[in-house]
Amino acid sequence: MKKHNFSAGPCILPQSVLKQASEAVENFNGLDLSLIEISHRSADFVAVMEKARKLVLELMNLEGKGYSVLFLQGGASLEFLMVPYNLMSIGGKAAYLDTGTWSSKAIKEARILGEVEIMASSKDSNYSYIPKDYVVPSGVDYVHCTSNNTIFGTQMKEFPKTEAPLICDMSSDIFSRELDFSRFDLIYAGAQKNMGPAGTTLVVVKDEILGKTGREIPSMLDYKVHISKDSMYNTPSVFAVYVSMLTLDWLKSLGGIKEIERRNVEKARLLYDEIDRNPLFRGAAATEDRSDMNVTFLLTDDSRKQEFDALCKAKGINGINGHRSVGGYRASIYNAMPLESVAVLVDIMKSL
Ligand SMILES: *Cc1c(COP(=O)(O)O)cnc(C)c1O
């Protein structure tokens, strides 16, 4: 039997997608060739890329609203640099919200190219909450935030209000909940948390914000170059794009983001209710900022750790060790995680 995979990333994918993907690795579209050995410029692969792009815009309700969709490489980590390269004017300044490890890495890269104003930070309490009463400065080139803090288990419910372009790293909660995506000018996400396998990064960008910095941009870092080449300026990560496309198609067939959000809320509630009810556990993140994707929690009695870990192992629970910077446990319950797997974990917690 397959394990219950709570891994934070690369993460669980739908079984049906894994099956289709493995078939395509052997024989894609009945071509008697593998998906990963055909030209990325062949009609069969170009159709995959087009469908993936279309699904992104459809699911986000951004069709016809002036956005381009890119499937790049280098992970969300390269976007930390590409964003300032493309949006920070020479001698310019950007505002960042510091809500965790990934935000701070984004800030570090931005500082290579300009000035960064940190609007607020929750570092003082090991990023256990999302700062709220901050002032968004005016006159900045853009404002950057991280919608879900994978390591700490916090999730933004409100986003900065600003006239400047709003940029969001949505790596670990992309397509998990309904948002007005048109409020954002650029969204990026490494595929491997909630959209597909590792190897491609989704970028959704409003065309009108690009080309304004006067900065010379190396081709591979230039969004406009990638847009003009339909994400095929160089060889795209064909397998990762294909599996992401299948996963988005799976999401659409379920009923889209609205339906997956309903399921995600149900899974998260089941787990948080047990964390709050059971005196042996406590949540690591501030209650009002809890993430529906990464549930971080701690044992209140460390002498029970061995017993809990052994039960988890016996029941096929995989990947719930907390990140070293929080300790305890982290159950990542991304889109493809079934409610039944969460119930297995909750039953173990109840039995303790
Ligand atoms: C995992 C993660 C990243 C880094 O993604 P890579 O694709 O490995 O570079 C960035 N931001 C967030 C929120 C993440 O969860």
Side-chain angles (χ1 to χ4, degrees):
M1 203 194 77
K2 185 153 176 181
K3 288 189 174 157
H4 305 288
N5 188 11
F6 291 87
S7 170
C11 76
I12 183 167
L13 290 170
Q15 273 309 113
S16 59
V17 165
L18 294 179
K19 186 158 185 299
Q20 273 175 282
S22 57
E23 282 164 10
V25 167
E26 293 209 341
N27 183 355
F28 178 53
N29 278 1
L31 294 170
D32 293 322
L33 289 166
S34 168
L35 165 77
I36 56 175
E37 63 181 5
I38 60 168
S39 166
H40 56 290
R41 304 205 185 277
S42 64
D44 286 85
F45 188 76
V46 168
V48 168
M49 188 62 102
E50 278 174 9
K51 186 167 176 187
R53 271 203 300 268
K54 187 169 182 327
L55 281 164
V56 168
L57 292 178
E58 236 180 282
L59 287 163
M60 291 184 159
N61 200 14
L62 288 178
E63 279 175 307
K65 294 184 181 164
Y67 286 81
S68 293
V69 176
L70 298 171
F71 287 92
L72 305 178
Q73 296 179 63
S77 299
L78 187 59
E79 297 317 306
F80 297 161
L81 179 65
M82 281 179 79
V83 164
Y85 241 117
N86 285 268
L87 300 177
M88 183 96 80
S89 58
I90 294 166
K93 182 164 140 183
Y96 278 66
L97 202 56
D98 178 27
T99 54
T101 310
W102 299 115
S103 304
S104 2
K105 288 190 169 172
I107 290 165
K108 178 166 180 257
E109 301 304 296
R111 284 194 164 133
I112 296 173
L113 293 162
E115 199 186 323
V116 170
E117 176 168 340
I118 298 177
M119 296 183 283
S121 170
S122 47
K123 193 173 182 185
D124 57 350
S125 77
N126 199 28
Y127 297 117
S128 61
Y129 69 99
I130 302 280
K132 288 170 198 79
D133 298 322
Y134 52 86
V135 177
V136 183
S138 54
V140 290
D141 289 325
Y142 63 91
V143 172
H144 181 283
C145 59
T146 311
S147 57
N148 185 72
N149 299 283
T150 326
I151 293 175
F152 301 94
T154 60
Q155 189 171 30
M156 294 178 72
K157 320 280 160 158
E158 301 281 335
F159 293 90
K161 292 178 184 55
T162 172
E163 294 295 308
L166 182 60
I167 317 301
C168 191
D169 175 0
M170 291 196 189
S171 291
S172 52
D173 68 350
I174 188 111
F175 301 115
S176 72
R177 56 174 169 164
E178 287 196 295
L179 291 173
D180 175 5
F181 292 101
S182 69
R183 271 192 62 194
F184 301 90
D185 297 276
L186 190 151
I187 294 165
Y188 63 91
Q192 73 278 9
K193 302 276 170 42
N194 211 22
M195 190 182 76
T200 191
T201 317
L202 173 69
V203 176
V204 183
V205 56
K206 199 162 198 181
D207 299 322
E208 68 182 30
I209 69 168
L210 298 174
K212 294 185 172 167
T213 66
R215 184 190 293 286
E216 192 181 350
I217 308 174
S219 310
M220 276 297 283
L221 301 184
D222 190 341
Y223 291 127
K224 282 174 92 86
V225 168
H226 290 291
I227 291 169
S228 71
K229 301 290 180 186
D230 292 332
S231 300
M232 298 214 199
Y233 173 70
N234 72 322
T235 316
S237 182
V238 290
F239 183 73
V241 173
Y242 179 65
V243 181
S244 298
M245 183 278 278
L246 292 179
T247 310
L248 294 172
D249 212 20
W250 165 86
L251 180 55
K252 184 182 166 187
S253 73
L254 289 184
I257 298 185
K258 190 181 168 76
E259 171 59 16
I260 206 74
E261 177 174 16
R262 189 192 65 74
R263 295 182 190 197
N264 287 335
V265 167
E266 192 181 6
K267 289 182 287 179
R269 190 168 296 151
L270 182 65
L271 190 46
Y272 283 122
D273 279 353
E274 179 58 19
I275 290 168
D276 292 339
R277 184 204 65 81
N278 192 329
L280 271 178
F281 296 98
R282 70 178 171 85
T287 313
E288 72 274 16
D289 300 323
R290 282 172 166 177
S291 166
D292 284 349
M293 295 278 99
N294 310 98
V295 178
T296 49
F297 58 100
L298 304 151
L299 262 177
T300 54
D301 176 359
D302 274 339
S303 73
R304 307 292 297 277
K305 180 170 165 44
Q306 265 192 334
E307 186 190 348
F308 181 55
D309 291 351
L311 280 169
C312 286
K313 191 159 182 236
K315 296 280 185 194
I317 302 280
N318 175 67
I320 61 161
N321 280 341
H323 189 275
R324 63 188 176 283
S325 46
V326 180
Y329 297 92
R330 170 176 53 172
S332 298
I333 52 176
Y334 296 118
N335 284 355
M337 164 68 61
L339 180 67
E340 294 72 40
S341 290
V342 182
V344 171
L345 176 60
V346 167
D347 283 345
I348 296 170
M349 294 164 79
K350 284 196 168 125
S351 75
L352 216 61

